[in-house]
Amino acid sequence: MDLKRFFRERGYAEEVLAKPPTVILNFGLVTERVEGNLVILSDDRPLLIANYAPGAVRSRERGLLAYARLAYPQKPPALALQTNGREFALLEVASGKEIAFGGPEIVPPYEKLKDFSLPPPLDSRKRLIEEKILFIQTTGG
């Protein structure tokens, strides 16, 4: 699934769609590079991170939350969207709660993204936890 095309078809402007940064995790002798699919920006501030992967959507939610928090530790996005192309889960990054699940109709329009409160910066204690979660989610343990 081409997420950029998906969002453009829903009225999102090309200039707000970008590739999110790579998160590099180092645990002992293992270095893992985790890349996201798409971020939606407003004035260089991330509003939503979207990820496509085949399979069970809900099984990937926690890893996406960790990625969203680590990719933008000073200014995390308000929302994260996990999809397999048929099912979509919209998550609140601050609380980690799923706020909507269903088809593409759950994706808010761009202007509504600005209504969601942005989470605080990621503190150093939580950063280590998120790094471990993302490592486990991307490597299988």
Side-chain angles (χ1 to χ4, degrees):
M1 173 178 205
D2 182 349
L3 282 174
K4 230 179 181 183
R5 190 174 98 225
F6 172 83
F7 280 97
R8 280 195 314 263
E9 289 171 353
R10 278 150 186 76
Y12 284 71
E14 180 73 31
E15 61 269 11
V16 303
L17 307 174
K19 178 86 171 137
T22 299
V23 172
I24 299 172
L25 304 169
N26 288 307
F27 288 98
L29 301 173
V30 179
T31 298
E32 185 71 21
R33 297 173 63 84
V34 183
E35 295 186 4
N37 295 133
L38 186 75
V39 63
I40 297 171
L41 303 167
S42 174
D43 299 321
D44 292 328
R45 174 77 194 233
L47 300 177
L48 179 142
I49 289 227
N51 187 57
Y52 164 80
V57 169
R58 287 186 165 136
S59 70
R60 300 178 190 280
E61 289 179 355
R62 188 58 185 92
L64 178 59
L65 290 168
Y67 173 78
R69 293 168 180 156
L70 292 168
Y72 296 97
Q74 296 306 309
K75 296 179 179 183
L79 301 171
L81 180 78
Q82 180 66 53
T83 184
N84 62 11
R86 293 179 317 281
E87 297 176 321
F88 293 74
L90 188 64
L91 312 166
E92 184 181 66
V93 172
S95 69
K97 292 186 192 284
E98 183 181 273
I99 56 176
F101 187 85
E105 72 280 353
I106 71 158
V107 178
Y110 179 73
E111 288 306 316
K112 290 288 265 177
L113 293 182
K114 297 175 184 178
D115 294 344
F116 290 90
S117 3
L118 297 168
L122 185 64
D123 69 44
S124 59
R125 184 185 62 79
K126 288 182 182 176
R127 181 181 185 89
L128 184 57
I129 293 167
E130 297 299 333
E131 286 174 346
K132 288 178 181 177
I133 290 168
L134 185 57
F135 185 80
I136 291 166
Q137 289 279 314
T138 57
T139 64

